Structures are given as structure tokens and as C-alpha cells.
Amino acid sequence: MTTIAFIGLGNMGNPMAANLVKAGHDVLGFDLVPENLKTARANGVTVMADAAAAVKGADVVVTMLPAGKHVLSVYEQVNGAAKKGTLFIDSSTIDVDSSRKAHALAAHAGLLALDAPVSGGVGGAAAGTLTFMCGGSAEAFAAATPMLEKMGKKIVHCGEAGAGQAAKICNNMILGVSMIAVCEGFALAEKLGLSYQALFDVASTASGQCWSLTTYCPVPGPVPTSPANNGYKPGFAASLMLKDLMLAQEAARSSGAVTPLGAEAAQLYALFNAQGGAAKDFSGIVEFLRGA
Ligand code: NAD
């Protein structure tokens, strides 16, 4: 049995921690929100007074926090409390630069570190079917894999420090851009009197096919399981898509990459969020694009 400290028990962290408890681990948890601690306790997590108390004596520390500043602040708080060689896994989605700083803080304190952001959402967290995209040394990846297998089903070592975050934001930038392209295709089809099903039947097996069309179709009908058939209930909220697109733009600026469509997608999602779309599924941007 491994003792695991879990910091950040929100929508994702709580079900992930619950899966570690179910797998027989001793999980010591901390969050700033009392309601989240109540849920954690009900799931079998031992609630601790603060992050440092949770980390003291833990073999592994998992963080699942909103942004880079929260991760760095927790790493700074708990650095002295962790025993040498403790493995720190950060599964939050954060900017690549902060992720690399977190790795450096850990290395300086004699700790192992892995960035391991996820895809799969709250449903995947509850079902234990998340995908983990990992960055860090081969040693950290090997040590983390048995833990990650309790929370996910696909675990990929993408490279050194920050490579997991890089893979996550590159993938989600492709997703944001491709979703907008598919939505525009359907918006144009509407104006031309072409049915959703006809466009789907052609494009899903032709050169326009992509995940945003074939698995997550943004209009009702062709893919019955897509959020379009359920009032655009997330799924993956537009607010989280905007967050990831902004992270991609930040990374493009700091690395000098040219991403004009990524920049345009970030602007369109910012407008959609500002006009009431934030809590909708990100495919709901089709309504905004057609001006509904
Ligand atoms: P959330 O806001 O529900 O949870 C974050 C938790 O961190 C909150 O409960 C908050 O109280 C806690 N927290 C903040 N600062 C803290 C501190 N200093 N000490 C202890 N706890 C602290 O967010 P979430 O939906 O669980 O997402 C967590 C991360 O996972 C984010 O980086 C998000 O981008 C990423 N993510 C979310 C989803 C999703 O579908 N929700 C999918 C993939 C990735």
C-alpha cells in the first residue's frame, strides 16, 4: 500500500482520489473548499489540516489544481515537508513554463516530478479511464505508472519536464480549431439548404473527417451521443476550452511558434464565453457562430 497525498479535490480531483482509495491506497487529502473535503471524506480520503500535513509521510503527492500559480504555491508550501525521493505528480492543466518551474523546485528539493495532465473530463475521472500525458524523467514515469493506472487507461510518456503539458495544449488547440471548422461547415450547409445528415454522410468518410465531426458532431442528429443532442450540456465546458487555448497562445508567444488559427479560435471562444457560453459544452459554439 502506498500513502498518497492528494491536493486539490475539486470536480476532477475528488473522483480521481476516490479511485486511489478503491485501489487500496491510503489517501491523505487537502482542499481549500470545505464542501469538497466533505465529499472526499465520504469517499474514504483522510482529510488533513493543510497541504504540508498531507504531504508529510506520503510516498506520492498528486496535485489537481486550477492554474500554474496554484501549483507553484503548493510546491513551495510543501517542499520542506516532503521526504527526499517523494514522487510529485501534477495532473493540473497549466502553462508549460510554470510546469518546468515546478519540476525545478522539486529537483532542487531532491524530489521526483512528473507533469501528467489529463483528458477525459469528469466522466473519465469517475470511471478511471483518463488519458495521462506525461513529462519527466524515465525514473519518474516508471514510478508514477502504477498510480496513474488506477485513475486512467492510457498513459503516454511524451518527453522531459513540461512535455505532458505541451502535448495537452497542442492537442486541445487542434481540437478548438477543428471544432470551429466543423461548426462553420454546418452553418454554411444550413444556408445552402443542405441537411445535417447529408453533410455528415459525405464529410465523415471524406477528407473533412475529424473527431469533432465523427465523434462529437456539433449539430443534433448524426451522432446521437454528442452534446448537441442534450442542449450542449458538457462534456467539456467552453470555459475549459478557452483556458487551454489561452495556454496554447501563451506557449506560442514564449516559444515563437506561429499559430494564427489557434489565436483566432482563442478569440472566438473568448467571445462565446463572454456571451453566456462558458458553462455550455464547447461544441455549443455552433450557436454563436450562426448568430443564434
Ligand atoms: P476545480 O476548480 O473543480 O478544482 C480545483 C480545486 O483546487 C478546487 O477545489 C480548489 O479549492 C482547489 N485549490 C485551489 N488552490 C488550492 C490550494 N492552494 N490548496 C488546496 N486546494 C486548492 O477544477 P477541476 O475541474 O477539478 O480541474 C482541475 C484541473 O484539471 C484544472 O487544471 C483543469 O484545467 C484540469 N482539467 C479539468 C477537466 C474537467 O473536465 N473539469 C478536464 C481536463 C483537465
Side-chain angles (χ1 to χ4, degrees):
M1 187 178 70
T2 308
T3 301
I4 303 172
F6 208 114
I7 319 291
L9 296 160
N11 293 322
M12 295 292 289
N14 248 330
M16 289 167 74
N19 282 330
L20 292 171
V21 172
K22 276 187 217 148
H25 296 299
D26 191 7
V27 182
L28 313 175
F30 179 67
D31 193 285
L32 300 174
V33 176
E35 195 57 31
N36 292 348
L37 293 176
K38 210 167 133 191
T39 307
R41 207 176 273 117
N43 290 339
V45 171
T46 305
V47 168
M48 306 302 284
D50 55 37
V55 163
K56 205 172 165 196
D59 308 301
V60 177
V61 177
V62 183
T63 43
M64 195 52 172
L65 298 162
K69 64 180 180 191
H70 306 102
V71 174
L72 289 174
S73 126
V74 167
Y75 272 45
E76 277 157 10
Q77 280 167 47
V78 304
N79 236 332
K83 59 186 181 207
K84 291 252 181 280
T86 303
L87 169 66
F88 274 60
I89 303 173
D90 179 38
S91 281
S92 329
T93 302
I94 67 171
D95 61 286
V96 176
D97 291 341
S98 295
S99 179
R100 289 183 177 147
K101 276 185 201 149
H103 275 269
L105 279 173
H108 191 252
L111 311 168
L112 277 180
L114 195 75
D115 54 293
V118 302
S119 71
V122 177
T129 57
L130 294 169
T131 293
F132 286 92
M133 295 151 262
C134 304
S137 66
E139 187 190 359
F141 180 71
T145 299
M147 251 35 73
L148 302 182
E149 283 173 346
K150 305 295 186 314
M151 300 182 283
K153 71 167 189 218
K154 186 170 177 192
I155 298 149
V156 184
H157 191 196
C158 301
E160 291 298 320
Q165 299 293 350
K168 162 101 190 176
I169 58 170
C170 291
N171 178 71
N172 281 13
M173 185 178 76
I174 296 171
L175 176 62
V177 169
S178 69
M179 179 54 79
I180 290 168
V182 171
C183 291
E184 287 188 3
F186 280 107
L188 178 59
E190 278 164 23
K191 294 285 187 203
L192 298 176
L194 179 66
S195 74
Y196 294 158
Q197 194 61 50
L199 175 58
F200 182 85
D201 288 346
V202 172
S204 64
T205 54
S207 44
Q209 75 95 14
C210 62
W211 187 90
S212 295
L213 175 72
T214 56
T215 304
Y216 218 75
C217 188
V219 293
V223 177
T225 50
S226 77
N229 300 283
N230 191 17
Y232 297 102
K233 188 167 168 260
F236 184 51
S239 59
L240 289 171
M241 173 51 83
L242 176 60
K243 173 188 170 181
D244 292 355
L245 288 169
M246 298 306 283
L247 289 175
Q249 284 310 290
E250 207 176 317
R253 268 190 301 276
S254 78
S255 66
V258 179
T259 58
L261 288 181
E264 189 60 37
Q267 282 203 13
L268 288 171
Y269 271 101
L271 284 171
F272 177 48
N273 272 261
Q275 293 185 14
K280 290 190 179 165
D281 185 76
F282 82 108
S283 60
I285 198 167
V286 69
E287 294 183 324
F288 164 80
L289 291 170
R290 65 155 89 89

